[in-house]
Amino acid sequence: MKHSILALAALSTFGLSSVYAADLPGKGVTVTPIQSTISEEAFQTILVDKALEKLGYTVQPIREVDYNVGYTTIAEGDGTFMAANWAPLHDDMYNAAGGSKTFYRQGTYVTGAAQGYLIDKKTAQQYHITNIEQLKDPKIARLFDTNSDGKADLTGCAPGWGCETVINAQVKAYGLTDTVQHNQGNYSAMIADTMTRYKEGKPILYYTWTPYWVSNVLVPGKDTVWLQVPFSVVPGNEKGDTKLPNGKNYGFPVNTMHIVANAKWAQANPAAARLFAIMKLPLADINAQNAAMHAGQSSEADIEAQTNGWIKAHQATFDGWIKEAAAAAK
């Protein structure tokens, strides 16, 4: 009798789990996540992956490509989604690949993504530097010269990220071509050199963004200061305004980040589409995770553990996303 009760219990449990599995909206559907080569974006991508897996989707390994390739890959249906669509920074790439006709983009994943130019606080105070336009003065520019060519060396933006076109346009518009060199290349290597200079007590000039670990190490207001710009310059948009409500202008509008997906795929997968629309990740949490990566916890296993840790700490929120997404499929 005991055995038959156990067998019945096992059977009913198996029956329930198999029915539940069959009910999962993503069952039998494969997802290909797309991400830029910035490894610090893995956290926000993996969080989406884990939510999709809970809905039954089969998630492929992340494909790392440059942003512009990422947009065309998703547009053509060879990729499913990207969790780091910056608006308005990526608008040109987004629109060039088909815009709202090609992509599904609802909701806002991350808010308050700032970017701009900073210098060390010591130099800012000593020379009263508050605006990047002051680097037109060769004497001021030479303070930030790292290779003795007489120009200020700006740790800039990697080609293909979108920020490089804005910086190049601004350097030209602000009359800084003769006094400022916009260094483009491997950002991680360049910012490491910048950090070394700072530790040696030398002046530094760099571009950065949030969410990212740099502002957790060189803290604006404490170690560094943001530089304002003399006027707004937005490539491709003559009327583009980057002035903040408080009247200050740091050259870049505060961006939002979105999960962007192939429109046809999203239409065929209402549960995933709903998930993409409702997920929200605090900027401070990304900064903290990125800082942990910078401190040496940057392996795939580390990032996986950090993402699982975030889910555990926000379990009710995460479960709420899954429940609402699953309901959208019914």
Side-chain angles (χ1 to χ4, degrees):
M1 182 69 179
K2 201 173 187 182
H3 288 300
S4 59
I5 289 170
L6 284 173
L8 188 63
L11 185 66
S12 60
T13 304
F14 172 77
L16 281 171
S17 63
S18 60
V19 167
Y20 180 65
D23 276 348
L24 289 176
K27 189 170 169 62
V29 182
T30 301
V31 174
T32 304
I34 301 293
Q35 186 191 301
S36 82
T37 53
I38 302 171
S39 58
E40 285 82 3
E41 286 179 2
F43 170 51
Q44 59 214 70
T45 306
I46 292 169
L47 184 59
V48 181
D49 288 351
K50 287 187 175 294
L52 287 167
E53 284 169 352
K54 280 282 181 193
L55 290 166
Y57 290 93
T58 302
V59 181
Q60 298 290 313
I62 295 167
R63 278 181 60 189
E64 285 190 11
V65 292
D66 285 339
Y67 286 120
N68 54 350
V69 177
Y71 287 110
T72 54
T73 302
I74 294 168
E76 289 163 6
D78 296 327
T80 311
F81 79 93
M82 178 162 62
N85 161 241
W86 286 65
L89 186 67
H90 290 177
D91 283 0
D92 286 349
M93 288 185 269
Y94 176 85
N95 291 326
S100 55
K101 289 179 184 172
T102 310
F103 299 110
Y104 170 85
R105 182 176 67 179
Q106 297 291 327
T108 303
Y109 193 22
V110 182
T111 58
Q115 55 192 316
Y117 310 104
L118 296 100
I119 61 171
D120 60 288
K121 193 173 181 180
K122 184 177 81 172
T123 305
Q125 290 179 336
Q126 187 175 345
Y127 295 92
H128 309 291
I129 305 167
T130 58
N131 196 299
I132 198 163
E133 192 178 32
Q134 289 172 260
L135 271 70
K136 275 205 282 198
D137 180 345
K139 288 187 201 134
I140 298 290
R142 272 196 292 272
L143 296 170
F144 305 98
D145 182 7
T146 66
N147 57 4
S148 305
D149 67 353
K151 285 186 172 189
D153 282 283
L154 167 66
T155 298
C157 180
W161 285 3
C163 38
E164 82 281 8
T165 56
V166 180
I167 296 172
N168 288 336
Q170 291 181 349
V171 166
K172 189 176 178 185
Y174 304 148
L176 302 171
T177 312
D178 293 337
T179 54
V180 175
Q181 177 62 45
H182 173 206
N183 294 325
Q184 297 177 244
N186 182 317
Y187 186 84
S188 297
M190 292 193 300
I191 202 69
D193 288 343
T194 304
M195 298 266 176
T196 301
R197 280 182 64 80
Y198 179 79
K199 285 172 188 165
E200 291 168 353
K202 295 173 183 173
I204 55 168
L205 167 67
Y206 64 99
Y207 160 87
T208 199
W209 68 95
T210 59
Y212 196 57
W213 60 264
V214 170
S215 296
N216 273 47
V217 178
L218 293 174
V219 181
K222 177 172 163 272
D223 307 309
T224 59
V225 295
W226 293 93
L227 292 182
Q228 290 197 60
V229 298
F231 52 87
S232 298
V233 173
V234 181
N237 182 1
E238 285 181 25
K239 293 180 180 173
D241 191 6
T242 54
K243 192 182 281 188
L244 298 178
N246 65 6
K248 294 189 173 179
N249 193 343
Y250 298 102
F252 294 81
V254 175
N255 277 239
T256 50
M257 293 165 79
H258 308 265
I259 302 167
V260 64
N262 177 279
K264 284 181 185 170
W265 189 91
Q267 195 174 5
N269 290 274
R274 186 66 191 146
L275 178 75
F276 296 158
I278 61 176
M279 285 185 77
K280 289 190 187 312
L281 184 56
L283 186 105
D285 293 2
I286 303 175
N287 273 343
Q289 187 274 338
N290 284 186
M293 287 177 70
H294 177 63
Q297 299 165 34
S298 58
S299 70
E300 283 183 29
D302 288 333
I303 300 168
E304 182 90 7
Q306 289 153 3
T307 311
N308 286 332
W310 189 94
I311 292 169
K312 199 173 177 184
H314 302 83
Q315 196 68 56
T317 299
F318 185 82
D319 292 346
W321 294 338
I322 306 306
K323 190 176 177 185
E324 187 174 335
K330 290 174 181 170

